[in-house]
Amino acid sequence: MNITTRTGRRLAAAVVGCCAILLPGAALAAPSTPGAPPAPARPAAHAITPACETPGLVIWLDTNGDGAAGSVFYKLKFTNLSGHTCTLNGFPFINAVSLTGGLLGHRAAFTGGPPHQITLDLGQTATAELQIVNVLNFPAAQCKPVTAAGFRVFPPNQTRAKVVPFPFGACSAKKPVFMFVRPVTK
């Protein structure tokens, strides 16, 4: 077998390249002193606290509202019973619902902000302020007033909702907007 100069150079370059790749890994895997125990592992980086998921939250309404200028302001509460610490960040999505669960009117519009991430330990509660406008302030033909059976609430950044029972005056038409919600706070 006759190896040409060009082929020999290519073979030598391939061997050197393989050694350059494999030797650093072997050096890191080998103990620093023969027979010595391996170096202790680095401590794990801090785990990221997961988002609060809907099944782990109890969502409820403090019905002691504060009335002002044709609206009532309520505190919508999110209590963490998930078994672990979790975070909330943003606005809940809130719709009025009928007794059969059908959506009524427009979802609550976002107001205030900007939102900030909050951390809830097990048993802690976050709050989002909910403003409900007295629907009798709107023209009946535009609003089509009805009595809602409660709210369908999606916690911030979640795709599953819970229903919070609470009868109140709602518009069955898509306009005007009669509910406003602020971001969750502690």
Side-chain angles (χ1 to χ4, degrees):
M1 181 168 140
N2 194 2
I3 298 178
T4 64
T5 306
R6 182 182 291 170
T7 305
R9 287 183 188 155
R10 286 183 182 163
L11 184 59
V15 170
V16 169
C18 287
C19 289
I21 291 171
L22 296 175
L23 284 177
L28 290 174
S32 57
T33 319
R42 289 184 183 177
H46 292 288
I48 296 174
T49 305
C52 297
E53 295 184 11
T54 305
L57 294 171
V58 174
I59 304 172
W60 53 285
L61 186 71
D62 179 349
T63 57
N64 296 314
D66 293 322
S71 294
V72 180
F73 296 83
Y74 295 98
K75 304 290 185 196
L76 185 64
K77 306 283 190 164
F78 300 84
T79 301
N80 175 16
L81 295 182
S82 66
H84 57 81
T85 299
C86 62
T87 62
L88 288 172
N89 184 10
F91 295 85
F93 276 69
I94 303 172
N95 293 95
V97 293
S98 67
L99 198 54
T100 60
L103 299 180
L104 300 171
H106 193 280
R107 75 162 170 79
F110 301 152
T111 187
H116 299 285
Q117 179 169 299
I118 59 168
T119 301
L120 295 178
D121 290 329
L122 180 62
Q124 285 188 319
T125 300
T127 302
E129 185 177 70
L130 175 65
Q131 175 187 0
I132 302 174
V133 177
N134 183 343
V135 296
L136 299 179
N137 292 337
F138 302 115
Q142 181 185 12
C143 170
K144 299 185 175 99
V146 295
T147 300
F151 310 100
R152 179 173 298 148
V153 179
F154 291 86
N157 306 307
Q158 293 298 303
T159 58
R160 293 178 282 182
K162 289 192 176 181
V163 174
V164 177
F166 179 71
F168 68 99
C171 292
S172 60
K174 290 292 179 195
K175 293 203 178 200
V177 176
F178 61 94
M179 296 187 300
F180 299 86
V181 66
R182 292 186 170 279
V184 291
T185 60
K186 225 171 185 183

